């Protein structure tokens, strides 16, 4: 697994070391934490002899993108449920169609639709994967990979949280002496925290302010600066929020001088195609 140093110029002043776990480099297309979660789900698929897979996500879903590619590679029929209609598909959906996924558009309430679609999938002997690759098999995929990493030199590990699947999977593998920080740019913080209970002795949860997915000019500037100064590409929804927040703590002397930190890059770069100002920042955005 690739670990690189984050050489943001202001960090040497603060006497801090940040390493980046580059999950975004795992695979050119199927990158990031969605790859880890899918390992667990694909294992379930094989063991239970399903005839296909069905799942759900938004029009820029990193999960559906990774899943569609994985299914294409493995010859697994995929039915993807997406809110909206067939006009003007996003670049993400175009990719999924190129890889042979059948897109089922729906309207109305997402959790109600997910309930129906999962029953339908069951009736057709298709494996239903919840939004984002959430669920125990997804967690197990993450846990297996983190078990194999030697993390003992770090005092603190930092990761962005959506459904919390990745964080839960990590908590099961990371030694209790290391502090694990979950940075959540989403909503439902308290119900998310409940799902973490009892998994780790040293979990710190950081709910961020602001609407989920809000892209400000400052955020775009930060992403662009990071790329220019440190050659690190960040996605606008999760990793840029994580790195920006961590840097803010570092710059405000909230982190112990000399301490070692590992920031997990969970990938998601394909989603930057939804932001015009970021669409062409990186050479090969899949
Ligand atoms: C999906 C995603 C997350 C959130 O992962 P969860 O397992 O849902 O918490 C974080 N970062 C990126 C880039 C993602 O695409």
């Amino acid at each position: 697994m690739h670990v690189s140093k984050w050489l943001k110029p202001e960090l040497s002043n603060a006497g801090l070391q940040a390493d980046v776990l580059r999950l975004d480099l795992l695979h050119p297309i199927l990158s990031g934490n969605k790859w880890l979660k899918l390992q667990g789900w694909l294992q379930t698929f094989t063991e239970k002899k399903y005839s296909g897979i069905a799942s759900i996500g938004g029009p820029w879903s990193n999960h559906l993108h990774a899943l569609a590619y994985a299914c294409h590679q493995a010859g697994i029929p995929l039915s993807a449920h997406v809110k909206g209609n067939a006009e003007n598909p996003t670049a993400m959906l175009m990719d999924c169609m190129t890889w042979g996924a059948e897109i089922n558009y729906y309207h109305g309430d997402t959790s109600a639709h997910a309930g129906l679609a999962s029953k339908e999938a069951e009736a057709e002997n298709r494996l239903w994967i919840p939004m984002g690759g959430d669920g125990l098999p997804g967690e197990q995929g993450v846990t297996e990979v983190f078990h194999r990493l030697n993390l003992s030199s770090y005092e603190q590990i930092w990761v962005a949280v959506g459904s919390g699947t990745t964080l839960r999977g990590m908590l099961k593998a990371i030694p209790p002496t290391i502090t694990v920080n979950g940075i959540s740019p989403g909503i439902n913080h308290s119900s998310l925290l409940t799902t973490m209970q009892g998994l780790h002795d040293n979990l710190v949860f950081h709910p961020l302010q602001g609407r989920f997915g809000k892209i400000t000019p400052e955020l775009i500037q930060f992403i662009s600066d990071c790329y220019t100064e440190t050659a690190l590409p960040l996605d606008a929804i999760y990793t840029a929020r994580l790195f920006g927040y961590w840097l803010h703590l570092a710059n405000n002397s909230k982190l112990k001088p000399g301490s070692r930190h590992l920031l997990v890059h969970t990938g998601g770069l394909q989603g930057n195609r939804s932001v015009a100002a970021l669409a062409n920042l990186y050479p090969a955005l899949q």
Side-chain angles (χ1 to χ4, degrees), residues 32-229:
N33 64 337
K34 301 304 183 285
W35 187 91
L36 306 190
K37 295 194 259 188
L38 278 181
Q39 299 311 302
W41 280 111
L42 291 175
Q43 210 171 318
T44 304
F45 173 84
T46 310
E47 282 166 11
K48 302 266 172 71
K49 300 192 168 55
Y50 286 101
S51 63
I53 293 180
S55 191
I56 187 165
W60 288 103
S61 165
N62 292 325
H63 160 64
L64 286 183
H65 194 255
L67 178 62
Y69 186 78
C71 285
H72 172 62
Q73 290 296 91
I76 302 169
L78 170 66
S79 152
H81 294 258
V82 178
K83 193 167 179 161
N85 50 50
E87 287 151 38
N88 305 319
T90 62
M92 192 296 285
L93 287 169
M94 301 279 271
D95 285 346
C96 291
M97 288 187 270
T98 304
W99 298 326
E102 175 196 296
I103 314 289
N104 293 288
Y105 293 97
Y106 70 91
H107 296 279
D109 183 62
T110 292
S111 55
H113 183 81
L116 288 176
S118 65
K119 288 207 177 65
E120 189 185 288
E122 210 172 287
E124 291 170 353
N125 191 34
R126 285 182 183 236
L127 172 66
W128 173 257
I129 305 183
M131 191 171 282
D134 195 6
L136 212 49
E139 275 175 45
Q140 278 159 355
V142 176
T143 304
E144 269 174 39
V145 170
F146 272 83
H147 264 312
R148 282 190 254 129
L149 302 176
N150 182 0
L151 303 168
S152 57
S153 65
Y154 297 105
E155 280 167 55
Q156 305 221 24
I157 298 180
W158 302 75
V159 69
V161 178
S163 65
T165 317
T166 305
L167 177 56
R168 282 191 294 279
M170 287 170 60
L171 291 175
K172 292 178 186 167
I174 295 175
T177 48
I178 301 175
T179 302
V180 184
N181 297 272
I183 309 303
S184 170
I187 42 169
N188 287 331
H189 295 300
S190 53
S191 58
L192 247 184
L193 251 184
T194 328
T195 68
M196 313 282 166
Q197 256 161 23
L199 294 184
H200 201 267
D201 293 339
N202 261 317
L203 167 67
V204 183
F205 195 73
H206 308 252
L208 299 190
Q209 303 291 320
R211 182 172 59 79
F212 178 76
K214 184 167 185 201
I215 294 161
T216 61
E218 292 76 25
L219 189 71
I220 290 173
Q221 190 61 48
F222 175 68
I223 292 172
S224 164
D225 289 349
C226 275
Y227 191 60
T228 319
E229 293 170 1

Side-chain angles (χ1 to χ4, degrees), residues 21-42:
L21 181 63
R22 298 290 303 270
L23 300 181
D24 60 312
L25 297 179
L26 278 176
H27 187 280
I29 293 171
L30 218 167
S31 86
N33 64 337
K34 301 304 183 285
W35 187 91
L36 306 190
K37 295 194 259 188
L38 278 181
Q39 299 311 302
W41 280 111
L42 291 175

